[in-house]
């Protein structure tokens, strides 16, 4: 019997993505225990001083760049770049992001914890000085929300370790720049991982090419508008370069994917069933 088979231009099909939550509970437990330890105010302040005192030994532009990767619009651009080849993850990321956007402001307003700059007589501050709404850290939540979403679908252990290390670096940078207490960072980490875990029960849905183009176009336009509104003359030029550089890269990748989707399909061939 003969059947008609479409030959793909890449010569192979994308691997099926599965969700693995087997080790995720252990990670949540570890972060929860660390957060409980840091509820001790003396320990929390001692850890803050130990990490914040490292700030003068690192370039300010590097600290600003790392910490800005946890900023909503900056991380949103990174998410878009990473999700272009795996659009089925988009519903999970959007669900987790919406959860964090609801929970983080509510928790900040409810606890209204003063930031280190409002409590300590001496500390190193890099960037904007803020005094209120310290708990939890929004940057840490965003970083681990994204990392947690990918952790459950990536099989390679080295990639998982790199994701955790990158998110941890963003979280620790919030202490380095004097913006948050360690307990804020750990609470944000736990919240981000929890949002990612809840969102992991959203099915992996592959959108049609037409719908995917619409979603990507809306996201890219939204990110451009947000960056345009947030960019100001008071902002460090390194941050401006990072944000708009990432947006330029995302735009180029989106255009490339759009052009590839318009290429004619490869010729069909007859194969024996």
């Amino acid at each position: 019997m003969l059947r008609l088979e479409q030959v793909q231009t890449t010569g192979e099909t994308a691997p099926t993505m599965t969700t693995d939550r087997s080790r995720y509970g252990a990670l949540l437990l570890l972060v929860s225990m660390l957060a409980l330890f840091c509820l001790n105010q003396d320990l929390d302040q001692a850890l803050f001083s130990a990490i914040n005192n490292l700030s003068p030994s690192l370039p300010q532009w590097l600290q600003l760049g790392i910490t800005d990767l946890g900023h909503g619009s900056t991380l949103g651009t990174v998410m878009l770049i990473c999700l272009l080849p795996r659009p089925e993850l988009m519903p999970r990321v959007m669900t987790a992001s919406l959860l964090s956007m609801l929970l983080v402001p509510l928790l900040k307003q409810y606890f209204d914890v003063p930031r280190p700059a409002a409590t300590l007589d001496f500390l190193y501050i890099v960037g904007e000085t803020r005094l209120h709404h310290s708990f939890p850290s929004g940057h840490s939540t965003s970083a681990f929300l994204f990392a947690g979403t990918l952790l459950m679908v990536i099989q390679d252990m080295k990639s998982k370790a790199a994701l955790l290390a990158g998110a941890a670096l963003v979280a620790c940078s919030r202490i380095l720049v004097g913006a948050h207490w360690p307990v804020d960072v750990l609470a944000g980490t736990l919240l981000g991982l929890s949002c990612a875990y809840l969102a992991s029960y959203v099915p992996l849905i592959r959108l049609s090419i037409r719908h995917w183009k619409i979603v990507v176009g809306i996201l890219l336009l939204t990110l451009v508008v947000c960056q345009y509104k947030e960019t100001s003359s008071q902002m460090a030029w390194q941050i401006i370069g990072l944000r708009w550089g990432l947006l330029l890269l995302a735009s180029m990748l989106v255009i490339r994917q759009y052009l590839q989707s318009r290429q004619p399909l490869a010729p069909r061939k007859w194969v024996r069933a």
Side-chain angles (χ1 to χ4, degrees):
M1 182 184 299
L2 296 176
R3 62 184 173 85
L4 191 63
E5 183 180 82
Q6 182 66 49
V7 180
Q8 296 189 359
T9 57
T10 59
E12 59 182 9
T13 58
T16 303
M17 186 176 287
T18 58
T19 304
D20 180 16
R21 306 181 186 91
S22 58
R23 298 181 180 87
Y24 205 81
L27 180 60
L28 288 172
L29 179 60
L30 175 61
V31 176
S32 300
M33 292 176 62
L34 292 174
L36 287 175
F37 283 129
C38 286
L39 288 177
N40 182 297
Q41 188 174 1
D42 292 335
L43 177 59
D44 196 36
Q45 290 189 4
L47 283 174
F48 174 85
S49 297
I51 297 174
N52 184 251
N53 285 338
L54 299 175
S55 182
S57 61
L58 298 172
Q60 289 193 3
W61 64 265
L62 180 61
Q63 296 181 57
L64 288 171
I66 293 174
T67 203
D68 195 66
L69 289 174
H71 186 270
S73 56
T74 308
L75 185 60
T77 308
V78 176
M79 287 181 181
L80 179 59
I81 293 172
C82 294
L83 294 181
L84 281 175
R86 302 312 305 232
E88 60 268 35
L89 275 176
M90 184 63 73
R92 290 188 178 182
V93 172
M94 297 299 292
T95 301
S97 299
L98 288 174
L99 285 174
S100 70
M101 289 171 63
L102 290 173
L103 292 175
V104 170
L106 287 175
L107 292 173
K108 282 182 176 291
Q109 291 290 336
Y110 179 78
F111 290 101
D112 195 19
V113 176
R115 293 185 186 249
T119 304
L120 301 178
D121 295 327
F122 176 81
L123 73 159
Y124 295 102
I125 298 177
V126 179
E128 183 180 357
T129 300
R130 295 185 179 181
L131 304 176
H132 308 289
H133 307 311
S134 186
F135 183 92
S137 166
H139 285 64
S140 303
T141 301
S142 300
F144 275 94
L145 176 155
F146 183 53
T149 302
L150 295 182
L151 279 176
M152 287 179 280
V153 296
I154 290 178
Q155 304 300 321
D156 181 57
M157 295 304 296
K158 291 183 179 179
S159 298
K160 289 186 176 184
L163 273 172
L164 285 175
L169 199 60
V170 172
C172 287
S173 72
R174 301 305 291 160
I175 306 173
L176 272 175
V177 300
H180 283 286
W181 303 102
V183 68
D184 304 334
V185 167
L186 289 168
T189 298
L190 182 61
L191 181 60
L193 291 173
S194 300
C195 289
Y197 180 79
L198 293 174
S200 70
Y201 289 94
V202 174
L204 295 168
I205 303 173
R206 182 173 288 277
L207 301 175
S208 66
I209 295 178
R210 178 174 175 271
H211 289 153
W212 176 238
K213 289 179 180 178
I214 294 174
V215 171
V216 170
I218 292 175
L219 287 176
L220 185 60
L221 181 60
T222 302
L223 289 169
V224 170
V225 172
C226 289
Q227 294 291 16
Y228 178 77
K229 289 184 176 181
E230 292 173 358
T231 301
S232 65
S233 57
Q234 289 78 28
M235 188 180 295
W237 66 266
Q238 293 92 343
I239 301 301
I240 296 176
L242 173 66
R243 293 184 179 185
W244 286 102
L246 287 171
L247 266 177
L248 178 60
L249 175 60
S251 302
M252 292 171 62
L253 292 174
V254 168
I255 293 172
R256 177 188 176 190
Q257 188 179 74
Y258 174 78
L259 293 176
Q260 287 180 343
S261 68
R262 292 178 60 86
Q263 292 179 356
L265 294 173
R268 296 181 177 182
K269 67 176 182 180
W270 291 95
V271 296
R272 186 171 297 278

